[in-house]
Amino acid sequence: MADAVETLGELDGWQGDDYAARVHYEGAGERYSIEYYAPSDCVVYWKVKGDGQTAVPVGRDTVPDPLRTRIREDLAEAGIDPEVESRQL
């Protein structure tokens, strides 16, 4: 698992630590922080408020499709099953 997080952390925009990796996205006036957690093999989307300091978890059905597609592509490139992106918590 740690190898997949390390590989994900090497992709453009991603930052990895021991068991998780994070990327930030900004587009169409919206900002998101996306996290992949290796121990639970899941992706969590956070919408970042205007102050840049506050984020709230959001359902993936509210996240733009192009962003979800990018996350699935990045997961696959890191050797992580891209289907985990759609996994419900």
Side-chain angles (χ1 to χ4, degrees):
M1 273 190 281
D3 290 339
V5 168
E6 185 176 319
T7 302
L8 194 56
E10 293 171 359
L11 298 180
D12 186 34
W14 286 87
Q15 297 175 342
D17 61 35
D18 293 334
Y19 297 100
R22 173 183 299 125
V23 66
H24 299 282
Y25 167 83
E26 187 170 346
E30 309 234 332
R31 295 174 17 184
Y32 292 91
S33 178
I34 300 92
E35 298 174 329
Y36 167 75
Y37 295 96
S40 56
D41 200 27
C42 68
V43 173
V44 177
Y45 289 93
W46 299 82
K47 190 164 188 178
V48 180
K49 299 282 186 172
D51 65 6
Q53 301 297 314
T54 306
V56 295
V58 294
R60 52 193 39 75
D61 59 332
T62 67
V63 176
D65 285 336
L67 176 55
R68 291 187 64 196
T69 298
R70 178 200 165 182
I71 299 306
R72 287 191 297 273
E73 290 170 352
D74 287 354
L75 292 170
E77 188 172 337
I80 301 166
D81 181 358
E83 292 302 312
V84 305
E85 184 276 335
S86 61
R87 185 172 169 218
Q88 298 296 319
L89 303 178

